[in-house]
């Protein structure tokens, strides 16, 4: 079946603008994760959904970042008033049910804030 | 902050040689996973080892886990040019919500023909 998909693959925006990044998890996967990866670093956890609810949002850096998953499938990561420091690859992952399962990653969205 | 630290940061070997990389972590874990990443994009899951396991194999991959030393190693045998990638260890900490992976900075592996 299809893997995790993310759109857009690349996003260039100007400082101060609002952006939305979309993640389509593998069908039937109830757990969904967002990570952010800066150049030369490993991914850093942002937020974890179990179904529709955010089970852990402790990795969101500040209140400019918000994520939703209204129907328990597709998720959107929203960034308000973007800053140059937000530039990174945003990765989404999903896992089948229990969150100790293997996480399957999407190809990521490369966000560039000018 | 990153939980795991990979060593070495970079590794250059020839095809056919074995590649070994290590991962150290700081706190108790539920499991440890190894991922591969090509060209800075999506991560590919390689192997998961649980805290009560000591060794796992998958094809040319061998992973060990020593919870007393808080360390893990990934061995790739008979390497191929296609193994060129960055390799990350990720821990699922016992004190965190389940599935919240903590990644290291990775080991860049280059396999030359």
């Amino acid at each position: 079946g299809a893997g995790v998909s993310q759109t857009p693959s690349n996003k260039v925006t100007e400082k101060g603008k609002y952006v939305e990044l979309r993640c389509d998890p593998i069908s039937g996967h109830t757990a969904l994760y967002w990570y952010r990866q800066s150049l030369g670093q490993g991914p850093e956890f942002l937020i974890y959904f179990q179904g529709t609810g955010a089970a852990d949002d402790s990795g969101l850096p500040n209140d400019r970042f918000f994520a939703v998953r209204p129907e328990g499938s597709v998720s959107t990561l929203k960034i308000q008033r973007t800053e140059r420091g937000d530039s990174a690859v945003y990765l989404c992952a999903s896992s089948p049910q229990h969150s100790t399962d293997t996480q399957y990653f999407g190809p990521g969205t490369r966000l560039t804030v000018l | 902050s990153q939980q795991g630290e990979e060593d070495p940061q970079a590794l250059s070997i020839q095809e056919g040689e074995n590649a070994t990389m290590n991962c150290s972590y700081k706190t108790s874990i539920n499991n440890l996973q190894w991922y591969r990443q090509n060209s800075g994009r999506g991560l590919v899951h390689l192997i998961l080892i649980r805290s009560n396991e000591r060794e796992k194999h998958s094809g040319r991959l061998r992973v060990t886990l020593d919870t007393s030393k808080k360390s893990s190693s990934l061995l790739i045998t008979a390497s191929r040019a296609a193994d060129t990638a960055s390799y990350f260890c990720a821990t699922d900490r016992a004190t965190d919500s389940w599935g919240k992976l903590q990644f290291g900075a990775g080991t860049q592996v280059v396999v030359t023909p």
Side-chain angles (χ1 to χ4, degrees):
Chain A
V4 177
S5 62
Q6 293 186 245
T7 55
S9 56
N10 288 282
K11 176 70 177 178
V12 180
T13 190
E14 293 179 342
K15 180 176 178 292
K17 299 290 187 182
Y18 168 83
V19 296
E20 289 190 351
L21 311 179
R22 177 187 167 106
C23 172
D24 280 89
I26 293 172
S27 178
H29 282 195
T30 59
L32 184 146
Y33 312 83
W34 284 98
Y35 295 85
R36 179 170 72 171
Q37 186 176 23
S38 300
L39 191 63
Q41 300 296 316
E44 291 185 296
F45 170 84
L46 295 177
I47 187 169
Y48 153 49
F49 286 91
Q50 186 65 255
T52 60
D56 186 338
D57 65 358
S58 61
L60 295 178
N62 51 59
D63 61 5
R64 295 187 297 105
F65 288 75
F66 189 71
V68 295
R69 195 186 184 198
E71 297 178 358
S73 178
V74 171
S75 176
T76 304
L77 178 65
K78 308 180 180 191
I79 310 174
Q80 298 177 322
R81 304 182 304 280
T82 52
E83 300 177 357
R84 292 193 180 87
D86 298 336
S87 296
V89 175
Y90 289 81
L91 296 163
C92 176
S94 68
S95 66
Q97 183 175 354
H98 199 286
S99 52
T100 56
D101 291 330
T102 297
Q103 294 184 24
Y104 298 87
F105 281 79
T109 293
R110 185 180 300 279
L111 175 66
T112 303
V113 182
L114 301 176
Chain B
S1 64
Q2 295 188 312
Q3 154 88 318
E5 293 185 4
E6 287 91 344
D7 170 57
Q9 292 184 339
L11 183 60
S12 184
I13 57 174
Q14 291 191 319
E15 268 190 328
E17 294 181 337
N18 295 341
T20 300
M21 59 209 85
N22 303 295
C23 169
S24 59
Y25 57 91
K26 298 173 184 172
T27 61
S28 297
I29 60 173
N30 296 315
N31 64 62
L32 185 146
Q33 304 182 41
W34 285 91
Y35 286 84
R36 184 185 75 220
Q37 185 176 44
N38 294 86
S39 305
R41 299 306 289 261
L43 286 90
V44 174
H45 182 264
L46 297 177
I47 201 162
L48 180 153
I49 186 165
R50 301 197 187 278
S51 60
N52 61 351
E53 297 176 311
R54 293 296 168 258
E55 187 170 315
K56 284 190 84 169
H57 297 253
S58 176
R60 295 184 294 113
L61 305 179
R62 172 177 168 254
V63 167
T64 63
L65 179 65
D66 186 335
T67 53
S68 67
K69 295 181 179 178
K70 293 186 171 57
S71 68
S72 173
S73 68
L74 170 66
L75 168 67
I76 306 173
T77 61
S79 62
R80 305 167 181 168
D83 295 329
T84 295
S86 292
Y87 292 82
F88 295 90
C89 70
T91 53
D92 188 341
R93 297 192 304 191
T95 54
D96 281 336
S97 56
W98 293 56
K100 178 181 177 180
L101 295 181
Q102 301 274 341
F103 286 82
T107 294
Q108 285 190 302
V109 175
V110 175
V111 182
T112 55

